[in-house]
Short mmCIF file of all heavy atoms in Angstrom, two decimals:
data_model
loop_
_atom_site.label_atom_id
_atom_site.label_comp_id
_atom_site.label_asym_id
_atom_site.label_seq_id
_atom_site.Cartn_x
_atom_site.Cartn_y
_atom_site.Cartn_z
N GLU A 945 -176.93 69.73 -20.97
CA GLU A 945 -177.32 68.33 -20.90
C GLU A 945 -176.50 67.64 -19.81
O GLU A 945 -175.46 68.15 -19.39
CB GLU A 945 -177.14 67.62 -22.24
CG GLU A 945 -175.72 67.54 -22.72
CD GLU A 945 -175.58 66.95 -24.13
OE1 GLU A 945 -176.59 66.64 -24.79
OE2 GLU A 945 -174.43 66.79 -24.56
N ILE A 946 -177.02 66.50 -19.37
CA ILE A 946 -176.34 65.69 -18.38
C ILE A 946 -175.84 64.44 -19.10
O ILE A 946 -176.58 63.79 -19.82
CB ILE A 946 -177.27 65.27 -17.22
CG1 ILE A 946 -177.95 66.49 -16.60
CG2 ILE A 946 -176.50 64.46 -16.18
CD1 ILE A 946 -177.02 67.51 -16.00
N VAL A 947 -174.57 64.13 -18.88
CA VAL A 947 -173.95 62.95 -19.46
C VAL A 947 -173.54 62.06 -18.30
O VAL A 947 -172.74 62.47 -17.45
CB VAL A 947 -172.71 63.33 -20.31
CG1 VAL A 947 -172.04 62.10 -20.87
CG2 VAL A 947 -173.10 64.30 -21.42
N THR A 948 -174.10 60.85 -18.23
CA THR A 948 -173.74 59.90 -17.19
C THR A 948 -172.86 58.83 -17.82
O THR A 948 -173.23 58.26 -18.84
CB THR A 948 -175.00 59.25 -16.57
OG1 THR A 948 -175.83 60.29 -16.04
CG2 THR A 948 -174.62 58.28 -15.46
N VAL A 949 -171.70 58.61 -17.21
CA VAL A 949 -170.75 57.62 -17.73
C VAL A 949 -170.62 56.50 -16.70
O VAL A 949 -170.37 56.78 -15.51
CB VAL A 949 -169.37 58.26 -18.00
CG1 VAL A 949 -168.38 57.20 -18.49
CG2 VAL A 949 -169.49 59.40 -18.99
N LEU A 950 -170.80 55.26 -17.13
CA LEU A 950 -170.59 54.09 -16.28
C LEU A 950 -169.53 53.23 -16.93
O LEU A 950 -169.51 53.08 -18.15
CB LEU A 950 -171.87 53.28 -16.12
CG LEU A 950 -172.97 53.98 -15.35
CD1 LEU A 950 -174.05 54.41 -16.30
CD2 LEU A 950 -173.51 53.07 -14.30
N THR A 951 -168.66 52.63 -16.11
CA THR A 951 -167.60 51.77 -16.63
C THR A 951 -167.44 50.53 -15.78
O THR A 951 -167.70 50.55 -14.58
CB THR A 951 -166.24 52.51 -16.64
OG1 THR A 951 -165.93 52.91 -15.29
CG2 THR A 951 -166.25 53.73 -17.55
N THR A 952 -167.01 49.45 -16.42
CA THR A 952 -166.58 48.24 -15.72
C THR A 952 -165.54 47.57 -16.59
O THR A 952 -165.46 47.84 -17.79
CB THR A 952 -167.76 47.29 -15.41
OG1 THR A 952 -167.32 46.29 -14.50
CG2 THR A 952 -168.31 46.63 -16.66
N GLN A 953 -164.73 46.72 -15.99
CA GLN A 953 -163.73 46.03 -16.78
C GLN A 953 -164.20 44.64 -17.16
O GLN A 953 -164.85 43.95 -16.38
CB GLN A 953 -162.38 45.96 -16.05
CG GLN A 953 -161.64 47.28 -16.18
CD GLN A 953 -160.22 47.24 -15.71
OE1 GLN A 953 -159.98 46.95 -14.56
NE2 GLN A 953 -159.30 47.57 -16.60
N LEU A 954 -163.88 44.26 -18.40
CA LEU A 954 -164.19 42.93 -18.89
C LEU A 954 -163.07 41.98 -18.46
O LEU A 954 -162.00 42.42 -18.01
CB LEU A 954 -164.32 42.96 -20.41
CG LEU A 954 -165.43 43.88 -20.93
CD1 LEU A 954 -165.39 43.96 -22.44
CD2 LEU A 954 -166.79 43.42 -20.43
N ARG A 955 -163.30 40.70 -18.61
CA ARG A 955 -162.31 39.71 -18.16
C ARG A 955 -160.96 39.87 -18.86
O ARG A 955 -159.93 39.60 -18.29
CB ARG A 955 -162.86 38.30 -18.37
CG ARG A 955 -163.94 37.98 -17.36
CD ARG A 955 -164.39 36.52 -17.43
NE ARG A 955 -165.40 36.29 -16.42
CZ ARG A 955 -166.70 36.44 -16.60
NH1 ARG A 955 -167.16 36.85 -17.77
NH2 ARG A 955 -167.55 36.21 -15.63
N ASP A 956 -160.98 40.34 -20.12
CA ASP A 956 -159.72 40.52 -20.84
C ASP A 956 -159.04 41.85 -20.52
O ASP A 956 -158.01 42.19 -21.10
CB ASP A 956 -159.93 40.40 -22.36
CG ASP A 956 -160.82 41.50 -22.93
OD1 ASP A 956 -161.21 42.43 -22.19
OD2 ASP A 956 -161.12 41.43 -24.13
N GLY A 957 -159.62 42.62 -19.59
CA GLY A 957 -159.02 43.88 -19.17
C GLY A 957 -159.55 45.09 -19.90
O GLY A 957 -159.29 46.22 -19.49
N GLU A 958 -160.29 44.89 -21.01
CA GLU A 958 -160.84 46.04 -21.72
C GLU A 958 -161.91 46.70 -20.87
O GLU A 958 -162.50 46.08 -19.98
CB GLU A 958 -161.42 45.61 -23.07
CG GLU A 958 -160.35 45.25 -24.09
CD GLU A 958 -160.91 45.02 -25.47
OE1 GLU A 958 -161.97 44.36 -25.60
OE2 GLU A 958 -160.29 45.51 -26.43
N LEU A 959 -162.17 47.97 -21.16
CA LEU A 959 -163.13 48.76 -20.40
C LEU A 959 -164.46 48.81 -21.15
O LEU A 959 -164.50 49.24 -22.31
CB LEU A 959 -162.59 50.18 -20.21
CG LEU A 959 -163.35 51.06 -19.22
CD1 LEU A 959 -163.05 50.58 -17.79
CD2 LEU A 959 -162.95 52.51 -19.38
N LEU A 960 -165.52 48.33 -20.52
CA LEU A 960 -166.86 48.48 -21.08
C LEU A 960 -167.42 49.78 -20.53
O LEU A 960 -167.33 50.04 -19.33
CB LEU A 960 -167.77 47.32 -20.68
CG LEU A 960 -169.18 47.51 -21.24
CD1 LEU A 960 -169.47 46.46 -22.30
CD2 LEU A 960 -170.22 47.49 -20.15
N TYR A 961 -167.97 50.62 -21.41
CA TYR A 961 -168.55 51.88 -20.96
C TYR A 961 -169.97 52.03 -21.46
O TYR A 961 -170.35 51.47 -22.49
CB TYR A 961 -167.70 53.08 -21.40
CG TYR A 961 -167.53 53.21 -22.90
CD1 TYR A 961 -168.47 53.86 -23.68
CD2 TYR A 961 -166.42 52.67 -23.54
CE1 TYR A 961 -168.33 53.97 -25.05
CE2 TYR A 961 -166.26 52.78 -24.91
CZ TYR A 961 -167.21 53.44 -25.66
OH TYR A 961 -167.06 53.54 -27.02
N LEU A 962 -170.74 52.75 -20.70
CA LEU A 962 -172.10 53.12 -21.06
C LEU A 962 -172.19 54.62 -20.83
O LEU A 962 -171.85 55.09 -19.74
CB LEU A 962 -173.10 52.36 -20.19
CG LEU A 962 -174.57 52.60 -20.51
CD1 LEU A 962 -175.34 51.30 -20.34
CD2 LEU A 962 -175.15 53.68 -19.66
N ILE A 963 -172.59 55.36 -21.86
CA ILE A 963 -172.74 56.81 -21.75
C ILE A 963 -174.20 57.14 -22.03
O ILE A 963 -174.70 56.84 -23.11
CB ILE A 963 -171.83 57.53 -22.76
CG1 ILE A 963 -170.37 57.15 -22.56
CG2 ILE A 963 -172.02 59.05 -22.66
CD1 ILE A 963 -169.43 57.65 -23.64
N ALA A 964 -174.87 57.73 -21.06
CA ALA A 964 -176.27 58.12 -21.22
C ALA A 964 -176.34 59.64 -21.30
O ALA A 964 -175.73 60.34 -20.48
CB ALA A 964 -177.10 57.62 -20.03
N VAL A 965 -177.08 60.15 -22.30
CA VAL A 965 -177.16 61.59 -22.55
C VAL A 965 -178.62 62.02 -22.56
O VAL A 965 -179.46 61.38 -23.20
CB VAL A 965 -176.53 61.93 -23.92
CG1 VAL A 965 -176.67 63.42 -24.23
CG2 VAL A 965 -175.09 61.48 -23.99
N ALA A 966 -178.92 63.11 -21.85
CA ALA A 966 -180.27 63.69 -21.88
C ALA A 966 -180.16 65.18 -21.56
O ALA A 966 -179.27 65.60 -20.82
CB ALA A 966 -181.17 63.01 -20.85
N PRO A 967 -181.07 65.98 -22.13
CA PRO A 967 -181.10 67.40 -21.76
C PRO A 967 -181.29 67.54 -20.25
O PRO A 967 -182.04 66.76 -19.64
CB PRO A 967 -182.32 67.95 -22.51
CG PRO A 967 -182.51 67.00 -23.66
CD PRO A 967 -182.10 65.65 -23.12
N ALA A 968 -180.63 68.52 -19.65
CA ALA A 968 -180.69 68.70 -18.19
C ALA A 968 -182.13 68.85 -17.71
O ALA A 968 -182.51 68.27 -16.69
CB ALA A 968 -179.86 69.91 -17.77
N ASN A 969 -182.96 69.57 -18.47
CA ASN A 969 -184.34 69.80 -18.02
C ASN A 969 -185.25 68.60 -18.26
O ASN A 969 -186.41 68.61 -17.88
CB ASN A 969 -184.93 71.06 -18.68
CG ASN A 969 -185.06 70.92 -20.18
OD1 ASN A 969 -184.44 70.04 -20.80
ND2 ASN A 969 -185.84 71.79 -20.77
N GLU A 970 -184.74 67.54 -18.91
CA GLU A 970 -185.54 66.33 -19.13
C GLU A 970 -184.96 65.11 -18.43
O GLU A 970 -185.45 64.00 -18.61
CB GLU A 970 -185.65 66.03 -20.63
CG GLU A 970 -186.40 67.09 -21.41
CD GLU A 970 -186.45 66.78 -22.89
OE1 GLU A 970 -186.53 65.59 -23.25
OE2 GLU A 970 -186.42 67.74 -23.69
N LEU A 971 -183.90 65.32 -17.64
CA LEU A 971 -183.23 64.19 -17.01
C LEU A 971 -184.19 63.35 -16.17
O LEU A 971 -184.14 62.13 -16.21
CB LEU A 971 -182.04 64.65 -16.16
CG LEU A 971 -181.22 63.53 -15.53
CD1 LEU A 971 -180.59 62.66 -16.61
CD2 LEU A 971 -180.17 64.09 -14.61
N GLY A 972 -185.06 64.00 -15.43
CA GLY A 972 -186.01 63.27 -14.57
C GLY A 972 -186.83 62.26 -15.34
O GLY A 972 -187.02 61.13 -14.89
#
């Protein structure tokens, strides 16, 4: 599977993350 991780920092310094998961053969 492919795991895509995105991050940004919030104003208070905490880290907001988004993790997207899909089987490698279905990523498209």
